Amino acid sequence: MCKGFAYLDYGNGKLKRNKNDIASIQEIEAYIKTFKPAFIAASDILAKLVNHSAVLSGRLKSASSVHEKLERKEYELEDLNDIIGMRLTCQRATDALRIKSLISEDVQHFEVKETKCYGMCPGARKYRESGYRRIHLILLIKSVNKTMELQIGTPYTNMWSDWNHDLVYKGPESFQDDEKVQKYAMDLAEYFFNLDQERKKLPLCPATLEKANALRILEMNSGGADANKLYKKLGHPPNACFWWNDMQL
């Protein structure tokens, strides 16, 4: 049963409470709201930084997810760096490295607090023991003094990660303990890794397509009725060069 905090100070995002207390859902929801300005600020900065060369998506962590993590990890709210979670999906693994460098060099807006590179950086292993591949950055958003987690990957790292998270990691325990399931996950990781290697040969997109408004094209082709729904389903492609995301259909 959750006990109340000794006192709360949401103005600066700090929470003080008795040791071993876990915040209630209502208290967590109030805490998450303090991250909304940071979420908006980081979204704007990253969108300008990548300049339509990657698809940006993100979310504020739900109160139920935060509560579960506090219980499971025995964390304090202040220990969480992923209240803000964002994902940059690049066309190639080489693009992911370029964008990682851009963010690291943008000392005006960000301070890189932690970098973890799973299978995407020179000298790194192909993937984690599970088959996971992606770059993780913990960033301090300087203008609002809040931290966030940013993941950088490709359509194939996303596809493997989403499949594994939903069907294995969050799936039945029998899946997690099954050697054949684990072998299949590694075989699938190898398959997607090879697709990313092949994707390095992706031809350069012409300027005409780079400047094209993807949403406007969808509106023209669908009569406008389902354009926004389809645009969201495609992953909010910034231009016509990013139609690769139609694999999600």
Side-chain angles (χ1 to χ4, degrees), residues 87-106:
R87 176 189 283 184
L88 281 169
T89 304
C90 311
Q91 291 198 334
R92 310 170 187 82
T94 50
D95 293 332
L97 290 172
R98 178 180 59 81
I99 287 174
K100 171 183 172 293
S101 294
L102 283 176
I103 294 168
S104 299
E105 292 165 3
D106 187 5

Side-chain angles (χ1 to χ4, degrees), residues 12-28:
N12 61 12
K14 296 292 185 182
L15 299 180
K16 303 269 187 181
R17 56 187 173 278
N18 295 326
K19 189 177 180 181
N20 299 324
D21 284 352
I22 297 176
S24 70
I25 292 294
Q26 292 77 18
E27 290 165 333
I28 292 171

Side-chain angles (χ1 to χ4, degrees), residues 87-158:
R87 176 189 283 184
L88 281 169
T89 304
C90 311
Q91 291 198 334
R92 310 170 187 82
T94 50
D95 293 332
L97 290 172
R98 178 180 59 81
I99 287 174
K100 171 183 172 293
S101 294
L102 283 176
I103 294 168
S104 299
E105 292 165 3
D106 187 5
V107 295
Q108 177 185 350
H109 297 108
F110 298 115
E111 179 185 342
V112 179
K113 307 295 286 186
E114 181 179 284
T115 301
K116 292 183 179 179
C117 194
Y118 304 113
M120 302 284 288
C121 299
R125 296 174 57 183
K126 275 188 179 181
Y127 26 64
R128 292 179 71 176
E129 291 79 1
S130 63
Y132 183 88
R133 288 191 304 128
R134 205 182 267 147
I135 297 169
H136 284 211
L137 300 176
I138 300 298
L139 302 174
L140 174 68
I141 311 163
K142 290 186 174 180
S143 62
V144 287
N145 196 34
K146 296 282 190 182
T147 57
M148 63 172 287
E149 180 183 65
L150 176 66
Q151 299 179 5
I152 311 173
T154 70
Y156 297 122
T157 64
N158 291 355

